[in-house]
């Protein structure tokens, strides 16, 4: 991961004073999750560039899996974190340039207070929402923004673009302001949510956002993403921003706070990681997200009702959205949920208010809510009229899919199984999603309608089910609906 900061304000090598790092030396700083190097590829009177190179050690990253590291929950050895600017780079930057971030420079006090011409480059920034999102966040702060998508492989343009952008910011700002903006906006653009969001993050955000965040037109979105959508934290932060100097009048207006499900995970990354369960691809459309997730919950609930399923288990329940819906509907007298992610289960528990004392009609209908992996037979999955796998199969590594089939259709074997999964053909309708790209970085595959049908037919035949297919979302005449649903019945 690389971040370069260049100034052309003469004498440019004063950048060394501002950053408290001597231009003639290569310096190395140990971080909990790797090593940060600061070096100056160029440093003369007219132009000086400081490069911060962060070498992430995936093994260390896994070993330090504690709340002290921003990426603590990334329990995978294989991921893009070592190469992509993210919360790790932001945290290393804040650590290595600590004094500069605070705006202090004893050797050149006037300079620290002065806006200077700056050029900042990040060659590989994971950027949810694509280049346009980076522009929206940085431009109001006075930056000229160049953001370009990085192709997956320049040799093979037909493979399309990756989810990274090369970002260059040019502007005349105080160095401390620039660093604080990066500190907040790098993880916000990544939006991978694999850092631990503790309540002191609100303080950190307010501190780093001083002088620019309160007046930012996107302060709501930035705050939500930064705080991983933790409602109470977001509210607290927005309240404090509204009180801040420079806050526009409308800052006091309530900002809509959508609750996003917690990070969804894969079975080998237990407590992580990347996203909302609403298939928000990094570059995927803003619009279809919420509404499609809602329509999916509705479609699944409807079909369970039609099938007369009184008891239902939601396998890979995520944050429990479907469970909450089923509990609202009196026709489901017993509901249960399971997920491999402990965090997801905890989130669902809170959503269903199982953590509160006292009797409740809804709570009494929750038969079970537990952590469990669909790749291993587990008696707790059985005994319900229906099982749901909503947007789960595409998170399973293909070699493990056979195990999941056996566990669900062979071992638990309820009367009804409902499976939903993205329809890959529909992806061309998502502006900003590169051709061939998937909707979510954790998806192991996305099936076309024919592929889903072939899988469903085979599984149904092998386990004595009949399957019918139902489109969910607007059924496009050419490419089909965004979500495909298979309803398996015995
Ligand atoms: N059904 C939810 C969540 C979908 S995201 C919804 O539609 O909103 C996929 C979920 O599957 C995640 O919560 C993830 O933790 C879970 N998951 C992935 N692999 C799993 C496995 N092997 N066993 C159980 N759950 C798994």
């Amino acid at each position: 991961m690389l971040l370069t900061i260049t100034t052309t304000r003469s004498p440019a090598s004063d950048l060394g004073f501002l950053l408290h790092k001597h231009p003639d030396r290569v310096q190395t700083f140990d971080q909990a999750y790797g090593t940060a190097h600061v070096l100056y590829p160029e440093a003369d009177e007219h132009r000086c560039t400081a490069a911060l190179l962060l070498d992430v050690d995936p093994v260390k990253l896994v070993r330090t899996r504690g709340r002290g590291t921003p990426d603590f929950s990334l329990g995978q050895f294989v991921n893009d974190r070592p190469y992509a600017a993210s919360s790790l780079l932001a945290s290393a930057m804040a650590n290595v340039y600590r004094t500069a971030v605070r705006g202090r420079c004893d050797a050149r006090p006037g300079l620290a207070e002065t806006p200077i011409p700056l050029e900042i480059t990040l060659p590989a920034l994971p950027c949810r929402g694509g280049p346009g999102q980076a522009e929206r966040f940085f431009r109001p702060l006075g930056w000229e923004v160049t953001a370009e998508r990085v192709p997956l492989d320049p040799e093979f343009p037909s493979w399309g673009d990756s989810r990274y952008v090369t970002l260059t910011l040019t502007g005349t700002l105080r160095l401390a302001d620039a660093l604080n903006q990066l500190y907040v906006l790098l993880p916000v653009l990544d939006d991978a949510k694999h850092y631990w969001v503790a309540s002191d993050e609100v303080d950190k955000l307010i501190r780093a956002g001083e002088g620019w965040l309160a007046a930012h037109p996107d302060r709501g979105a930035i705050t939500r993403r930064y705080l991983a959508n933790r409602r109470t934290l977001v509210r607290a932060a927005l309240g404090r921003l509204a009180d801040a100097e420079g806050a526009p009048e409308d800052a006091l207006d309530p900002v809509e706070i959508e609750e996003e499900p917690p990070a969804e995970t894969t079975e080998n990354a237990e407590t992580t990681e990347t996203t909302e369960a609403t298939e928000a691809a990094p570059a995927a459309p803003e619009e279809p997200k919420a509404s499609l997730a809602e329509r999916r919950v509705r479609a699944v609930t409807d079909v369970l009702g039609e099938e007369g399923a009184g008891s239902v288990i939601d396998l890979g329940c995520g944050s429990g959205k479907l469970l909450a819906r089923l509990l609202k509907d009196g026709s489901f007298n017993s509901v249960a949920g399971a997920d491999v992610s402990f965090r997801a289960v905890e989130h669902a528990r809170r959503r269903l208010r199982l953590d509160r004392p006292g009797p409740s009609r809804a709570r009494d209908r929750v038969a079970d809510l537990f952590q469990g992996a669909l790749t291993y037979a587990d008696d707790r999955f059985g005994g319900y009229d229906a099982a749901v796998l909503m947007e789960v199969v595409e998170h399973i590594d293909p070699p493990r899919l056979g195990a999941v089939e056996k566990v669900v259709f062979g071992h638990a074997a309820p009367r009804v199984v409902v499976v939903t999964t993205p329809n890959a053909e529909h992806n061309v309708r998502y502006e900003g999603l590169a051709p061939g790209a998937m909707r979510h970085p954790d998806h192991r595959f996305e099936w076309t309608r024919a592929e889903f049908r072939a899988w469903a037919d085979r599984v149904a035949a092998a386990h004595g089910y009949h399957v019918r297919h139902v489109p969910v979302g607007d059924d496009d005449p050419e490419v089909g609906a965004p979500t495909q649903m298979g309803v398996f019945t015995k």
Side-chain angles (χ1 to χ4, degrees):
M1 289 193 245
L2 182 64
L3 163 74
T4 63
I5 303 176
T6 302
T7 187
T8 49
R9 184 186 198 272
S10 175
S13 51
D14 273 0
L15 184 62
F17 287 116
L18 282 177
L19 291 172
H20 297 256
K21 300 286 171 284
H22 200 288
D24 290 345
R25 261 182 299 180
V26 175
Q27 297 182 58
T28 295
F29 305 86
D30 262 346
Q31 306 289 306
Y33 35 82
T35 313
H37 308 273
V38 176
L39 57 144
Y40 289 75
E42 55 183 346
D44 61 30
E45 227 190 290
H46 306 294
R47 200 179 151 87
C48 179
T49 298
L52 170 66
L53 183 80
L54 178 64
D55 194 8
V56 173
D57 177 348
V59 176
K60 249 181 158 181
L61 186 60
V62 173
R63 296 229 172 97
T64 53
R65 250 178 106 164
R67 293 180 177 183
T69 51
D71 258 348
F72 81 99
S73 52
L74 260 184
Q76 286 165 297
F77 288 85
V78 185
N79 59 61
D80 68 349
R81 297 297 109 186
Y83 318 107
S86 67
S87 45
L88 290 182
L89 182 57
S91 136
M93 185 198 73
N95 180 264
V96 169
Y97 296 148
R98 207 174 316 150
T99 318
V101 167
R102 292 203 200 107
R104 274 197 34 218
C105 180
D106 296 341
R108 298 282 185 279
L111 194 56
E113 289 305 314
T114 310
I116 57 172
L118 291 170
E119 185 181 309
I120 293 178
T121 307
L122 290 131
L125 177 72
C127 195
R128 190 179 144 213
Q133 190 65 60
E135 281 166 24
R136 272 196 296 285
F137 284 164
F138 281 104
R139 195 165 281 150
L141 300 169
W143 293 104
E144 206 173 287
V145 183
T146 317
E148 270 162 27
R149 264 184 206 287
V150 178
L152 259 185
D153 187 330
E155 299 271 315
F156 299 94
S158 62
W159 290 4
D161 289 327
S162 68
R163 66 186 196 95
Y164 306 101
V165 303
T166 298
L167 180 69
T168 305
L169 306 171
T170 323
T172 303
L173 279 90
R174 283 175 59 222
L175 180 66
D177 289 339
L179 295 177
N180 279 296
Q181 292 164 6
L182 291 172
Y183 178 73
V184 172
L185 292 177
L186 296 190
V188 159
L189 281 168
D190 187 359
D191 199 25
K193 308 221 177 93
H194 29 55
Y195 46 93
W196 171 253
V197 181
S199 48
D200 68 343
E201 289 295 333
V202 175
D203 292 332
K204 286 191 197 163
L205 176 67
I206 300 294
R207 212 180 306 136
E210 208 188 310
W212 61 273
L213 184 56
H216 196 295
D218 271 331
R219 67 191 166 279
I222 293 170
T223 303
R224 278 199 296 275
R225 280 194 184 193
Y226 185 87
L227 296 170
N229 250 308
R230 297 269 307 273
R231 261 170 198 260
T232 39
L233 301 186
V234 172
R235 266 208 200 102
L238 289 174
R240 283 171 65 178
L241 284 175
D243 289 341
E245 219 177 297
E249 297 212 330
D250 70 349
L252 285 164
D253 293 349
V255 177
E256 191 202 339
I257 300 172
E258 331 117 35
E259 188 167 21
E260 288 181 34
E264 54 177 273
T265 62
T266 63
E267 57 159 354
N268 32 12
E270 230 202 45
T271 50
T272 65
E273 97 160 54
T274 35
T275 149
E276 307 88 300
T278 43
E279 69 194 22
E286 295 285 335
E287 183 275 314
K289 276 195 292 182
S291 55
L292 180 57
E294 172 57 28
R295 290 172 82 169
R296 209 155 37 215
V297 166
R298 225 177 283 155
V300 171
T301 309
D302 287 352
V303 83
L304 290 170
E306 284 160 26
E307 293 297 335
S311 60
V312 178
I313 183 162
D314 187 10
L315 300 172
C317 63
S319 64
K321 233 189 220 163
L322 176 67
L323 294 174
R325 174 63 55 94
L326 296 177
L327 286 175
K328 274 193 195 143
D329 188 323
S331 53
F332 303 100
N333 50 43
S334 164
V335 305
D339 200 288
V340 75
S341 155
F342 179 73
R343 257 191 81 196
V345 172
E346 284 300 297
H347 194 106
R349 205 177 287 286
R350 281 199 302 274
R351 185 195 287 267
L352 305 181
R353 301 182 196 280
L354 299 184
D355 51 349
R356 309 217 176 156
S360 139
R361 290 257 295 290
R363 250 174 282 158
D364 290 345
R365 284 154 57 217
V366 179
D368 209 351
L369 183 57
F370 59 96
Q371 187 183 17
L374 288 170
T375 38
Y376 300 97
D378 188 330
D379 289 340
R380 293 174 297 176
F381 297 149
Y384 300 92
D385 296 340
V388 176
L389 289 100
M390 186 167 83
E391 306 298 284
V392 173
V393 289
E394 65 276 11
H395 291 267
I396 309 282
D397 278 325
R400 315 298 304 275
L401 197 53
V404 174
E405 287 160 29
K406 281 202 196 97
V407 167
V408 175
F409 295 89
H411 195 261
R415 180 164 61 77
V416 182
V417 181
V418 180
V419 177
T420 78
T421 193
N423 164 20
E425 293 164 81
H426 195 91
N427 290 357
V428 295
R429 294 287 182 262
Y430 288 153
E431 224 177 283
L433 192 61
M438 286 189 270
R439 296 183 199 178
H440 187 280
D442 191 53
H443 285 175
R444 306 309 155 97
F445 55 82
E446 284 175 0
W447 279 327
T448 60
R449 285 169 292 177
E451 285 166 335
F452 181 50
R453 253 170 221 278
W455 176 83
D457 286 347
R458 183 178 54 70
V459 170
H463 298 281
Y465 284 81
H466 166 81
V467 59
R468 68 175 196 275
H469 292 268
V470 183
V472 180
D474 292 338
D475 199 359
D476 186 291
E478 248 172 82
V479 296
T483 297
Q484 34 188 351
M485 176 163 74
V487 184
F488 299 75
T489 44
K490 278 226 179 188

